[in-house]
Amino acid sequence: MRTWYLCLGCAAHYLPPESMTYPGRPGRPGLVASPLHCGLRQCRAAAREIVARSGLPAALFEAMALRAARAADTPGGPARPGRRARGGRSASGPRSARTRLG
């Protein structure tokens, strides 16, 4: 199964090549894909700015992005807290909102 990533700049999901290198032209090497941003220039700049503002190393951001992408690839998908069974009542609400029939 291929790993999908989430861009920090535009919040779009993207699927880079498995080798993490986009093919280049003859005489020009290919671009290296990033787990932090898609291929757009503005997203690259936005991701760089987010990492710089945080004060954390870029390698830590990349490790977090890879871990999140792998967690999303699990058969059950990412953990979603607060989900309840279908047809269940809401967790809270005023009693006056109920009808006479139910």
Side-chain angles (χ1 to χ4, degrees):
M1 178 173 269
R2 298 275 311 274
T3 303
W4 289 82
Y5 296 95
L6 180 71
C7 177
L8 286 179
C10 63
H13 291 94
Y14 64 100
L15 181 67
E18 288 183 20
S19 65
M20 292 299 282
T21 303
Y22 293 106
R25 296 184 198 130
R28 296 182 81 190
L31 295 172
V32 177
S34 171
L36 299 180
H37 58 78
C38 62
L40 298 175
R41 273 192 196 130
Q42 60 266 27
C43 293
R44 189 177 319 138
R48 197 176 309 125
E49 185 177 329
I50 289 169
V51 171
R53 277 192 204 166
S54 73
L56 299 172
L60 179 63
F61 270 87
E62 290 179 6
M64 289 188 308
L66 290 170
R67 188 172 185 183
R70 287 187 190 120
D73 284 343
T74 59
R80 294 182 182 171
R83 296 205 57 179
R84 62 178 190 272
R86 226 176 130 187
R89 289 187 176 218
S90 68
S92 63
R95 289 184 182 259
S96 62
R98 295 186 184 153
T99 64
R100 285 184 265 172
L101 301 175

